[in-house]
Amino acid sequence: MPNDAAAGAKRDDLERYRQASRSLEVTQNEIEELEHSAAFEVFQKQLGLLRKRLLNSPQSLRQVFIDDGTQAIVWEFKQNELGGNFTKTLWNLLLRDDDMSTILLRFIWNIPLKFKRKFIAAIDAHLSDRYPMFKGLSLGWPAQKSIPPYIRPPEERAKDFALVNQGYLGYMSLGYSAREVDLLVWLEVLRDKQCEDRPCEIGVPVEGNAENKGGCPVKIHIPEMLELLGTGRFKQALELIEGCNPLPNVTGRVCPQEMQCQGVCTLTGKPIEIGQIEWFLPERERLANPNGSAERWKSYVSPWAKADKPPIAVVGSGPAGLINAYLLAAEGYPVTIFEAFHELGGVLRYGIPEFRLPNSLIDDVVGKITLLGGKFVTNFVVGKTATIENLKKAGFWKIFVGTGAGLPRFMNIPGEHLLGVMSANEFLTRVNLMQARLDEFETPLPEVAGKQVIVIGGGNTAMDAARTAKRLGGIVTIVYRRTKAEMPVRVEELHHALEEGIELKVLRGPREFVSEKSHAVCHTILDVMELGPPDASRRRAPVVTGKTETMPVDLVIMALGNTSNPIIKDSVPDLRTTKWGTIDVKAGSQQTSVDGVYSGGDATRGGSTAIRAAGDGQAAAREIVGDIPFNAAEIKDLVARAARYTDQGQARQTILKKTDLTTGIVEFTVNSPLVAKAAQAGQFVRVLAEPKGEAILHLPTLNIGARAVGGGYFDPEQNLPNCGDGRSPHLSLGVSTAAACSSRRFSRSSASLAASSGNTSASTRTQISAAIVRNPRASSRVRLLTVRRTRSP
Ligand code: FAD
């Protein structure tokens, strides 16, 4: 190009640029002007309103989509099937976790079932390469097919104690994102029909029965929860559940849903996985916001500090006690939980193994109660360390007794006394609470690896014992006197046990256990049974046929159910109990025969379920918060006294003095104010090696437990105390908590120790001394023999 022409072109460009800039400036000025006009403001407001409306009211969104008929999505949904590209795009939009994805979630939740089916067919056809769990989902959806939670493969899980059912979040271990997991749960919820009569929540009436069949014992508003999830409101769904159940992460895992909410679901083929969803929500929140609870309650003023409501004592820290304490503390009542064991949680901790229910979840609940101001006193046996009356005198206005049913049943057949025959409670407590499987703990346990183990029974306890023995290397058979159909176990647990390689011998019941030498069981004679007409349990009764079978066996675990703990009953003369020994409560109430004392859970029902226990704890909390008959000054006084008592119970039990009396006999002086108040001279108390229990690792303190009868051991060579008698450490007590009475042989010996109690002296003294003598059976060990009082320094 010649130079002149090139210069002309540059000038033109420059002129066009100037013009464009001028018009841009004019336009910008105009925009700015218009942005401040009233019309624009109205438009902005309308836009905001529309956005809000679309998010909050998906129905209106649906109208927009459907009425206009202009949107691509609606057009696609009106076709015979959704195309591959559209489905993938739609899924990717759903994955974005933004306003648009929420709008789409709500749109799909609200479309008629036939369109939902189309969507499921599309993800089955186009996304199952990426999501194998979608394969075949559309055949029989929504009634027959669902997306199951992630369960670890049997061959892998049967060797360890890690969680078996990993729930929906378990899919993250396969590489799926948290949002993808949200969508899997949402797809499960999409099957919901929002039934008007809400059977999952309130159950279905049964003629002649006061209680409905099924439903939720803690009355979670299940249809609303599902609606919130269907419309993408995960956090609100959790808040809704937690409003009535502070333990969803626990109950969702162990509740027998097939008998409760899911058992009456109108999707009879595959009920909605309500239990899995129930525990998915708190677990999701924990992952997303580990400090959520602390933040939520950071400005909560402790009811002990406010002191405007009278204090409540809760006895027992199982699900009944925990939910009761949580709800009362949240209502502003100062609450103290008194627990016999050194750890909290009741059966949830000492019975149900970690592969089913991680202990961290119980700690989580305890943490929440603590954030609400709730206090805990462990190693405190109400009825021994102090009575219900003592608690009232200490300032507690009302008392909830949730002491469970910890006394295992036996069969009373020949050979039950042999070595190698034990209750499931004892077996499980040794493994779960006392960590017998870990080398650093000295808890003794019969050898299980490579041994023939039989578990007698067909309930959850039998399954837990069998699966635990399997994990310890045993060759395990469950022996049950009826058939599989009559087993009271949760269906899921039986299924998992069989998958893990546990044998099941039905229509068999032990008639005798036999030992050839050494007092250890070596085989059992089993009665062969058949089914007769139904019995009181409405299940067909097992009838002896007269035929027998012999089976070799090294370890027998009896899981025949539990009865009530008699300690409370024995210490409260006015407390009415039933013929089964359970605490009697008034019809339709949790109130016992003793004024101001309430009860619930296994203590009133006998062996029942965690969710029923939680339901009772909840019902009792509602009754407890009645009219308060005190003025402000009286309340303050009660709170101050109960706080003082609680502090004494929580006092760290330190060794103040240690005196070598003579060879093998050592005397300790231990600070333990409440035990000192209760203990009788010459009486036995439990000695724990360290505050948490049986770990023989170091000796920061000698923890004198509150059980007023029992034995303890001390290893003078290592200068470390041990617990129990080598056969039954820490269980060597005359009390009837689950573990305590699980070894009947030992209960008998501790009963005689209890009889050696001497006189009591002044109750103002706050120290006890313990004299230790050499154990005649193991030369390296010494036994705590006497308890003598000394005056406070
Ligand atoms: P518990 O959980 O028994 O708690 C009572 C607490 O009170 C204990 O901590 C005990 O130490 C304490 N205590 C007792 N006496 C005193 C006292 N005098 N002073 C102070 N504290 C005291 N249910 C299900 O729903 N699903 C399951 O899968 C399931 N599996 C089970 C597995 C096993 C091995 C067992 C044994 C039970 C199982 N159950 C199951 C039953 C369920 O755990 C119980 O129904 C439930 O725990 C009862 O709760 P609770 O609060 O009434 O009593």
Side-chain angles (χ1 to χ4, degrees), residues 171-197:
Y171 283 111
M172 287 180 78
S173 65
L174 303 185
Y176 295 104
S177 68
R179 179 61 179 172
E180 283 172 309
V181 173
D182 278 357
L183 290 186
L184 298 183
V185 172
W186 172 76
L187 283 171
E188 175 59 3
V189 169
L190 214 52
R191 301 195 301 129
D192 178 47
K193 295 200 279 184
Q194 291 282 293
C195 306
E196 265 180 29
D197 43 0

mmCIF file of all heavy atoms in Angstrom, residues 171-197:
data_model
loop_
_atom_site.group_PDB
_atom_site.id
_atom_site.type_symbol
_atom_site.label_atom_id
_atom_site.label_comp_id
_atom_site.label_asym_id
_atom_site.label_seq_id
_atom_site.Cartn_x
_atom_site.Cartn_y
_atom_site.Cartn_z
ATOM 1 N N TYR A 171 -19.684 -43.310 49.416
ATOM 2 C CA TYR A 171 -19.356 -43.224 47.989
ATOM 3 C C TYR A 171 -18.192 -42.260 47.738
ATOM 4 O O TYR A 171 -17.548 -42.315 46.703
ATOM 5 C CB TYR A 171 -20.586 -42.803 47.175
ATOM 6 C CG TYR A 171 -21.562 -43.952 46.993
ATOM 7 C CD1 TYR A 171 -22.801 -43.955 47.614
ATOM 8 C CD2 TYR A 171 -21.225 -45.044 46.194
ATOM 9 C CE1 TYR A 171 -23.692 -45.011 47.461
ATOM 10 C CE2 TYR A 171 -22.099 -46.108 46.031
ATOM 11 C CZ TYR A 171 -23.331 -46.086 46.665
ATOM 12 O OH TYR A 171 -24.182 -47.142 46.507
ATOM 13 N N MET A 172 -17.944 -41.390 48.727
ATOM 14 C CA MET A 172 -16.804 -40.476 48.545
ATOM 15 C C MET A 172 -15.494 -41.256 48.540
ATOM 16 O O MET A 172 -14.531 -40.846 47.896
ATOM 17 C CB MET A 172 -16.798 -39.410 49.641
ATOM 18 C CG MET A 172 -17.897 -38.392 49.424
ATOM 19 S SD MET A 172 -17.939 -37.113 50.689
ATOM 20 C CE MET A 172 -16.606 -36.065 50.167
ATOM 21 N N SER A 173 -15.477 -42.409 49.257
ATOM 22 C CA SER A 173 -14.242 -43.194 49.263
ATOM 23 C C SER A 173 -13.993 -43.822 47.887
ATOM 24 O O SER A 173 -12.911 -44.310 47.607
ATOM 25 C CB SER A 173 -14.296 -44.276 50.346
ATOM 26 O OG SER A 173 -15.307 -45.208 50.024
ATOM 27 N N LEU A 174 -15.023 -43.827 47.026
ATOM 28 C CA LEU A 174 -14.827 -44.336 45.664
ATOM 29 C C LEU A 174 -14.515 -43.198 44.695
ATOM 30 O O LEU A 174 -14.505 -43.388 43.489
ATOM 31 C CB LEU A 174 -16.083 -45.078 45.189
ATOM 32 C CG LEU A 174 -16.579 -46.238 46.043
ATOM 33 C CD1 LEU A 174 -17.756 -46.926 45.372
ATOM 34 C CD2 LEU A 174 -15.467 -47.259 46.278
ATOM 35 N N GLY A 175 -14.369 -42.000 45.220
ATOM 36 C CA GLY A 175 -13.969 -40.874 44.366
ATOM 37 C C GLY A 175 -15.088 -39.924 43.998
ATOM 38 O O GLY A 175 -14.860 -38.955 43.271
ATOM 39 N N TYR A 176 -16.311 -40.146 44.461
ATOM 40 C CA TYR A 176 -17.393 -39.214 44.140
ATOM 41 C C TYR A 176 -17.287 -37.990 45.035
ATOM 42 O O TYR A 176 -16.815 -38.072 46.177
ATOM 43 C CB TYR A 176 -18.759 -39.890 44.308
ATOM 44 C CG TYR A 176 -18.953 -41.024 43.323
ATOM 45 C CD1 TYR A 176 -18.853 -42.351 43.723
ATOM 46 C CD2 TYR A 176 -19.197 -40.754 41.980
ATOM 47 C CE1 TYR A 176 -19.000 -43.389 42.821
ATOM 48 C CE2 TYR A 176 -19.341 -41.789 41.056
ATOM 49 C CZ TYR A 176 -19.234 -43.100 41.491
ATOM 50 O OH TYR A 176 -19.369 -44.118 40.586
ATOM 51 N N SER A 177 -17.770 -36.857 44.500
ATOM 52 C CA SER A 177 -17.668 -35.615 45.278
ATOM 53 C C SER A 177 -18.830 -35.511 46.264
ATOM 54 O O SER A 177 -19.830 -36.230 46.152
ATOM 55 C CB SER A 177 -17.704 -34.412 44.335
ATOM 56 O OG SER A 177 -18.998 -34.321 43.770
ATOM 57 N N ALA A 178 -18.690 -34.574 47.208
ATOM 58 C CA ALA A 178 -19.758 -34.381 48.196
ATOM 59 C C ALA A 178 -21.059 -33.989 47.496
ATOM 60 O O ALA A 178 -22.150 -34.423 47.894
ATOM 61 C CB ALA A 178 -19.343 -33.303 49.184
ATOM 62 N N ARG A 179 -20.959 -33.198 46.437
ATOM 63 C CA ARG A 179 -22.185 -32.786 45.732
ATOM 64 C C ARG A 179 -22.816 -33.988 45.021
ATOM 65 O O ARG A 179 -24.032 -34.127 44.973
ATOM 66 C CB ARG A 179 -21.841 -31.687 44.719
ATOM 67 C CG ARG A 179 -23.024 -31.209 43.906
ATOM 68 C CD ARG A 179 -24.108 -30.605 44.771
ATOM 69 N NE ARG A 179 -25.237 -30.133 43.975
ATOM 70 C CZ ARG A 179 -26.372 -29.697 44.506
ATOM 71 N NH1 ARG A 179 -26.542 -29.664 45.820
ATOM 72 N NH2 ARG A 179 -27.349 -29.279 43.729
ATOM 73 N N GLU A 180 -21.978 -34.839 44.484
ATOM 74 C CA GLU A 180 -22.529 -36.044 43.832
ATOM 75 C C GLU A 180 -23.289 -36.891 44.859
ATOM 76 O O GLU A 180 -24.352 -37.427 44.585
ATOM 77 C CB GLU A 180 -21.405 -36.860 43.175
ATOM 78 C CG GLU A 180 -20.957 -36.234 41.859
ATOM 79 C CD GLU A 180 -19.729 -36.915 41.279
ATOM 80 O OE1 GLU A 180 -18.735 -37.077 42.011
ATOM 81 O OE2 GLU A 180 -19.763 -37.279 40.091
ATOM 82 N N VAL A 181 -22.718 -36.982 46.069
ATOM 83 C CA VAL A 181 -23.391 -37.752 47.123
ATOM 84 C C VAL A 181 -24.728 -37.083 47.471
ATOM 85 O O VAL A 181 -25.750 -37.761 47.636
ATOM 86 C CB VAL A 181 -22.484 -37.900 48.363
ATOM 87 C CG1 VAL A 181 -23.242 -38.539 49.514
ATOM 88 C CG2 VAL A 181 -21.258 -38.730 48.021
ATOM 89 N N ASP A 182 -24.732 -35.755 47.543
ATOM 90 C CA ASP A 182 -26.000 -35.046 47.782
ATOM 91 C C ASP A 182 -27.037 -35.472 46.745
ATOM 92 O O ASP A 182 -28.202 -35.708 47.057
ATOM 93 C CB ASP A 182 -25.802 -33.529 47.652
ATOM 94 C CG ASP A 182 -25.232 -32.911 48.919
ATOM 95 O OD1 ASP A 182 -25.051 -33.647 49.911
ATOM 96 O OD2 ASP A 182 -24.960 -31.691 48.903
ATOM 97 N N LEU A 183 -26.578 -35.560 45.512
ATOM 98 C CA LEU A 183 -27.528 -35.890 44.445
ATOM 99 C C LEU A 183 -28.005 -37.347 44.546
ATOM 100 O O LEU A 183 -29.152 -37.654 44.217
ATOM 101 C CB LEU A 183 -26.916 -35.624 43.073
ATOM 102 C CG LEU A 183 -26.711 -34.133 42.732
ATOM 103 C CD1 LEU A 183 -26.245 -33.972 41.286
ATOM 104 C CD2 LEU A 183 -27.970 -33.305 42.943
ATOM 105 N N LEU A 184 -27.120 -38.240 45.023
ATOM 106 C CA LEU A 184 -27.553 -39.643 45.197
ATOM 107 C C LEU A 184 -28.669 -39.696 46.242
ATOM 108 O O LEU A 184 -29.665 -40.412 46.082
ATOM 109 C CB LEU A 184 -26.384 -40.525 45.646
ATOM 110 C CG LEU A 184 -25.199 -40.650 44.682
ATOM 111 C CD1 LEU A 184 -24.161 -41.625 45.246
ATOM 112 C CD2 LEU A 184 -25.644 -41.106 43.306
ATOM 113 N N VAL A 185 -28.499 -38.920 47.315
ATOM 114 C CA VAL A 185 -29.528 -38.885 48.358
ATOM 115 C C VAL A 185 -30.799 -38.257 47.795
ATOM 116 O O VAL A 185 -31.908 -38.739 48.019
ATOM 117 C CB VAL A 185 -29.020 -38.095 49.590
ATOM 118 C CG1 VAL A 185 -30.124 -37.871 50.608
ATOM 119 C CG2 VAL A 185 -27.859 -38.844 50.239
ATOM 120 N N TRP A 186 -30.617 -37.197 47.048
ATOM 121 C CA TRP A 186 -31.777 -36.524 46.445
ATOM 122 C C TRP A 186 -32.539 -37.477 45.507
ATOM 123 O O TRP A 186 -33.772 -37.509 45.507
ATOM 124 C CB TRP A 186 -31.279 -35.276 45.690
ATOM 125 C CG TRP A 186 -32.314 -34.590 44.872
ATOM 126 C CD1 TRP A 186 -33.326 -33.790 45.318
ATOM 127 C CD2 TRP A 186 -32.454 -34.651 43.449
ATOM 128 N NE1 TRP A 186 -34.083 -33.339 44.265
ATOM 129 C CE2 TRP A 186 -33.567 -33.850 43.108
ATOM 130 C CE3 TRP A 186 -31.748 -35.292 42.429
ATOM 131 C CZ2 TRP A 186 -33.996 -33.690 41.791
ATOM 132 C CZ3 TRP A 186 -32.172 -35.128 41.129
ATOM 133 C CH2 TRP A 186 -33.282 -34.336 40.821
ATOM 134 N N LEU A 187 -31.783 -38.305 44.771
ATOM 135 C CA LEU A 187 -32.443 -39.280 43.881
ATOM 136 C C LEU A 187 -33.254 -40.283 44.699
ATOM 137 O O LEU A 187 -34.339 -40.700 44.292
ATOM 138 C CB LEU A 187 -31.392 -40.034 43.056
ATOM 139 C CG LEU A 187 -30.802 -39.247 41.883
ATOM 140 C CD1 LEU A 187 -29.623 -40.001 41.288
ATOM 141 C CD2 LEU A 187 -31.860 -38.986 40.820
ATOM 142 N N GLU A 188 -32.716 -40.666 45.864
ATOM 143 C CA GLU A 188 -33.450 -41.593 46.725
ATOM 144 C C GLU A 188 -34.738 -40.921 47.215
ATOM 145 O O GLU A 188 -35.814 -41.535 47.226
ATOM 146 C CB GLU A 188 -32.556 -42.025 47.906
ATOM 147 C CG GLU A 188 -33.199 -42.903 48.958
ATOM 148 C CD GLU A 188 -33.748 -44.218 48.414
ATOM 149 O OE1 GLU A 188 -33.587 -44.493 47.215
ATOM 150 O OE2 GLU A 188 -34.389 -44.952 49.193
ATOM 151 N N VAL A 189 -34.624 -39.662 47.580
ATOM 152 C CA VAL A 189 -35.781 -38.913 48.095
ATOM 153 C C VAL A 189 -36.821 -38.691 47.002
ATOM 154 O O VAL A 189 -38.021 -38.622 47.269
ATOM 155 C CB VAL A 189 -35.283 -37.567 48.684
ATOM 156 C CG1 VAL A 189 -36.436 -36.645 48.992
ATOM 157 C CG2 VAL A 189 -34.468 -37.822 49.943
ATOM 158 N N LEU A 190 -36.347 -38.609 45.768
ATOM 159 C CA LEU A 190 -37.250 -38.373 44.632
ATOM 160 C C LEU A 190 -38.331 -39.455 44.529
ATOM 161 O O LEU A 190 -39.353 -39.287 43.885
ATOM 162 C CB LEU A 190 -36.407 -38.339 43.350
ATOM 163 C CG LEU A 190 -36.821 -37.417 42.220
ATOM 164 C CD1 LEU A 190 -37.036 -35.996 42.687
ATOM 165 C CD2 LEU A 190 -35.752 -37.442 41.123
ATOM 166 N N ARG A 191 -38.083 -40.593 45.195
ATOM 167 C CA ARG A 191 -39.075 -41.694 45.134
ATOM 168 C C ARG A 191 -40.254 -41.425 46.057
ATOM 169 O O ARG A 191 -41.267 -42.103 46.002
ATOM 170 C CB ARG A 191 -38.422 -43.015 45.555
ATOM 171 C CG ARG A 191 -37.234 -43.396 44.696
ATOM 172 C CD ARG A 191 -36.830 -44.836 44.873
ATOM 173 N NE ARG A 191 -36.467 -45.197 46.219
ATOM 174 C CZ ARG A 191 -36.954 -46.238 46.878
ATOM 175 N NH1 ARG A 191 -37.872 -47.007 46.316
ATOM 176 N NH2 ARG A 191 -36.548 -46.521 48.096
ATOM 177 N N ASP A 192 -40.106 -40.439 46.925
ATOM 178 C CA ASP A 192 -41.137 -40.208 47.941
ATOM 179 C C ASP A 192 -42.452 -39.757 47.310
ATOM 180 O O ASP A 192 -42.465 -39.025 46.331
ATOM 181 C CB ASP A 192 -40.625 -39.142 48.916
ATOM 182 C CG ASP A 192 -41.658 -38.817 49.972
ATOM 183 O OD1 ASP A 192 -42.228 -39.766 50.537
ATOM 184 O OD2 ASP A 192 -41.910 -37.621 50.223
ATOM 185 N N LYS A 193 -43.554 -40.210 47.962
ATOM 186 C CA LYS A 193 -44.873 -39.866 47.429
ATOM 187 C C LYS A 193 -45.570 -38.800 48.262
ATOM 188 O O LYS A 193 -46.695 -38.452 48.008
ATOM 189 C CB LYS A 193 -45.737 -41.129 47.387
ATOM 190 C CG LYS A 193 -45.206 -42.180 46.427
ATOM 191 C CD LYS A 193 -46.263 -43.178 46.040
ATOM 192 C CE LYS A 193 -46.431 -44.229 47.115
ATOM 193 N NZ LYS A 193 -47.365 -45.288 46.780
ATOM 194 N N GLN A 194 -44.943 -38.329 49.320
ATOM 195 C CA GLN A 194 -45.560 -37.336 50.205
ATOM 196 C C GLN A 194 -46.975 -37.780 50.618
ATOM 197 O O GLN A 194 -47.957 -37.047 50.471
ATOM 198 C CB GLN A 194 -45.610 -35.958 49.518
ATOM 199 C CG GLN A 194 -44.245 -35.319 49.335
ATOM 200 C CD GLN A 194 -43.703 -34.692 50.626
ATOM 201 O OE1 GLN A 194 -44.232 -33.716 51.120
ATOM 202 N NE2 GLN A 194 -42.648 -35.274 51.165
ATOM 203 N N CYS A 195 -47.052 -39.000 51.151
ATOM 204 C CA CYS A 195 -48.353 -39.567 51.518
ATOM 205 C C CYS A 195 -49.035 -38.673 52.554
ATOM 206 O O CYS A 195 -48.412 -38.274 53.532
ATOM 207 C CB CYS A 195 -48.167 -40.956 52.116
ATOM 208 S SG CYS A 195 -47.244 -42.051 51.064
ATOM 209 N N GLU A 196 -50.309 -38.415 52.318
ATOM 210 C CA GLU A 196 -51.013 -37.506 53.232
ATOM 211 C C GLU A 196 -51.165 -38.079 54.629
ATOM 212 O O GLU A 196 -51.132 -37.368 55.616
ATOM 213 C CB GLU A 196 -52.385 -37.187 52.661
ATOM 214 C CG GLU A 196 -52.353 -35.904 51.878
ATOM 215 C CD GLU A 196 -53.670 -35.544 51.291
ATOM 216 O OE1 GLU A 196 -54.697 -35.918 51.886
ATOM 217 O OE2 GLU A 196 -53.654 -34.906 50.237
ATOM 218 N N ASP A 197 -51.362 -39.413 54.730
ATOM 219 C CA ASP A 197 -51.578 -39.993 56.069
ATOM 220 C C ASP A 197 -50.260 -40.289 56.805
ATOM 221 O O ASP A 197 -50.281 -40.849 57.895
ATOM 222 C CB ASP A 197 -52.475 -41.233 56.000
ATOM 223 C CG ASP A 197 -52.095 -42.131 54.842
ATOM 224 O OD1 ASP A 197 -51.135 -41.757 54.120
ATOM 225 O OD2 ASP A 197 -52.711 -43.180 54.662
#
